Amino acid sequence: MTKHIIGLTGGIATGKTTVANYLASAYNLPILDADIYAREAVSVDSPILLEIAQRYGKQILLVNGNLNRQKLGEIIFNSQEERNWVEGLIHPYVGDRFLEEIAVSSAQTLVLVVPLLFEAGMTHLVTEIWVVSCSEQQQLERLMRRNNLTLEQAQARIMSQMPIAEKVARADVVLDNSFTLEVLLKQVDAAMLGFEPRYNV
């Protein structure tokens, strides 16, 4: 039986993690997270981190050898060219890790949480696309509060992604996170109704 793979995406700070956590707890679905693999890609002494350090110098590393994410963020969120270069290293690694985990999983339904599902060209990995959306103002406020960013920093991060309206237009399921948590989770339940035979027990 072909695996059913939900690609969960949306804009930054729209509520993807909330939905993923609910799918894991309420429906026992395995969650594969692109952000975890992206962090793995730049772990201490990894080939990708070494390439990044060669390009940007030792300033890009913390004293313990880890990536200085704040410093890298300042570079890539202010330069499309540099962002493309870094993502060109990390996205293929993340895609390979997804394929590895999908292959070894015994589950018939899995969830791939991929913030840049469209931007990274990973739609071929999933059988269905779910997009979590909210209003632009909510997204901005949530991002500033969550990441302790200035308005300009938050706007730069949002602008680096495909507009949420474009993602919504390409989605199979749209989850509107403009209201309460209860309203959001009811939408998830409704979306899951069609897949009942494939719940993992």
Side-chain angles (χ1 to χ4, degrees):
M1 182 178 173
T2 306
K3 288 181 179 175
H4 176 229
I5 303 175
I6 298 168
L8 180 62
T9 191
I12 189 169
T14 56
K16 296 179 295 298
T17 302
T18 302
V19 172
N21 290 343
Y22 183 65
L23 288 170
S25 62
Y27 295 98
N28 198 32
L29 297 183
I31 307 295
L32 306 182
D33 191 334
D35 285 346
I36 289 173
Y37 301 144
R39 284 195 290 273
E40 204 178 90
V42 294
S43 57
V44 176
D45 292 334
S46 67
I48 291 175
L49 183 58
L50 293 174
E51 277 198 65
I52 291 172
Q54 274 188 330
R55 186 174 183 95
Y56 302 123
K58 287 286 193 285
Q59 58 153 7
I60 209 71
L61 300 176
L62 297 170
V63 178
N64 60 8
N66 279 305
L67 176 66
N68 186 331
R69 296 179 180 282
Q70 186 177 353
K71 185 71 73 176
L72 183 64
E74 289 169 9
I75 295 169
I76 66 173
F77 289 115
N78 289 298
S79 168
Q80 179 76 48
E81 184 181 343
E82 296 305 320
R83 186 162 70 250
N84 290 345
W85 183 83
V86 171
E87 290 178 347
L89 295 176
I90 294 175
H91 289 168
Y93 178 92
V94 172
D96 288 345
R97 289 291 285 113
F98 274 137
L99 290 172
E100 288 169 15
E101 294 299 323
I102 291 167
V104 300
S105 175
S106 59
Q108 285 304 316
T109 301
L110 299 95
V111 179
L112 272 54
V113 183
V114 197
L116 301 178
L117 182 71
F118 298 112
E119 296 92 332
M122 292 187 188
T123 54
H124 66 286
L125 297 176
V126 305
T127 57
E128 178 150 333
I129 297 170
W130 291 19
V131 170
V132 188
S133 71
C134 65
S135 73
E136 286 181 32
Q137 190 59 35
Q138 284 174 313
Q139 184 183 15
L140 202 55
E141 288 171 2
R142 288 170 182 170
L143 181 57
M144 289 168 66
R145 188 167 60 242
R146 187 189 77 184
N147 291 27
N148 196 24
L149 300 175
T150 65
L151 176 63
E152 291 73 21
Q153 288 172 325
Q155 287 173 328
R157 280 158 176 73
I158 291 171
M159 292 291 289
S160 75
Q161 298 185 346
M162 178 186 288
I164 195 72
E166 281 186 45
K167 295 187 179 189
V168 165
R170 296 170 65 175
D172 297 298
V173 171
V174 178
L175 303 168
D176 185 356
N177 189 20
S178 300
F179 307 102
T180 64
L181 176 62
E182 183 185 12
V183 170
L184 175 65
L185 300 185
K186 280 183 177 175
Q187 292 174 68
V188 177
D189 291 335
M192 285 300 295
L193 276 175
F195 315 128
E196 207 160 344
R198 288 182 276 196
Y199 288 174
N200 300 318
V201 294

